[in-house]
Amino acid sequence: MALHRAVGCDTSACLALYLAAPQLGPDAAQHAAARVGWSITAGGLVNRCPSCARGGLPVLERGECPVCTGSTFDRADAEVCHYCGHVTPHPGEADDEDQEHGEQLHAAEADR
């Protein structure tokens, strides 16, 4: 199991976390969090998730959001975070067809 660097929100009672790639160091993890909307100030001493940074509600329940680990709701075309509003599109039918085609090619190569 890989260990991840995490950036947590410093707002009272906010459960938001940004989970960085396992190979990133602490400074790179904070930089990655800032790139997706986190407010990192005072040399990394104060961290605010995107929702708290804009004055919204703190993250009160964890879920699948890749930006703040907040809970999400499902739309026809994407999953949307209740807190930061991040949109994660659902894989399209074209992606499914490409994956199936790749699996068929892989199976054909294995038969040779």
Side-chain angles (χ1 to χ4, degrees), residues 32-53:
R35 289 184 59 190
V36 295
W38 281 68
S39 174
I40 311 291
T41 59
L45 296 176
V46 179
N47 304 319
R48 299 273 187 259
C49 70
S51 181
C52 292

Side-chain angles (χ1 to χ4, degrees), residues 60-111:
L60 301 175
E61 56 187 11
R62 294 254 172 84
E64 299 297 321
C65 179
V67 174
C68 69
T69 65
S71 63
T72 58
F73 63 94
D74 214 14
R75 286 192 325 207
D77 61 338
E79 284 188 3
V80 181
C81 180
H82 285 281
Y83 300 98
C84 71
H86 178 78
V87 177
T88 305
H90 292 307
E93 290 180 19
D95 294 339
D96 294 339
E97 290 173 5
D98 290 343
Q99 184 178 359
E100 288 174 12
H101 182 69
E103 290 172 357
Q104 291 171 352
L105 289 174
H106 182 68
E109 289 175 1
D111 289 340

Side-chain angles (χ1 to χ4, degrees), residues 12-38:
S12 182
C14 184
L15 301 175
L17 288 175
Y18 176 75
L19 300 176
Q23 68 271 20
L24 295 180
D27 292 337
Q30 287 183 330
H31 180 70
R35 289 184 59 190
V36 295
W38 281 68

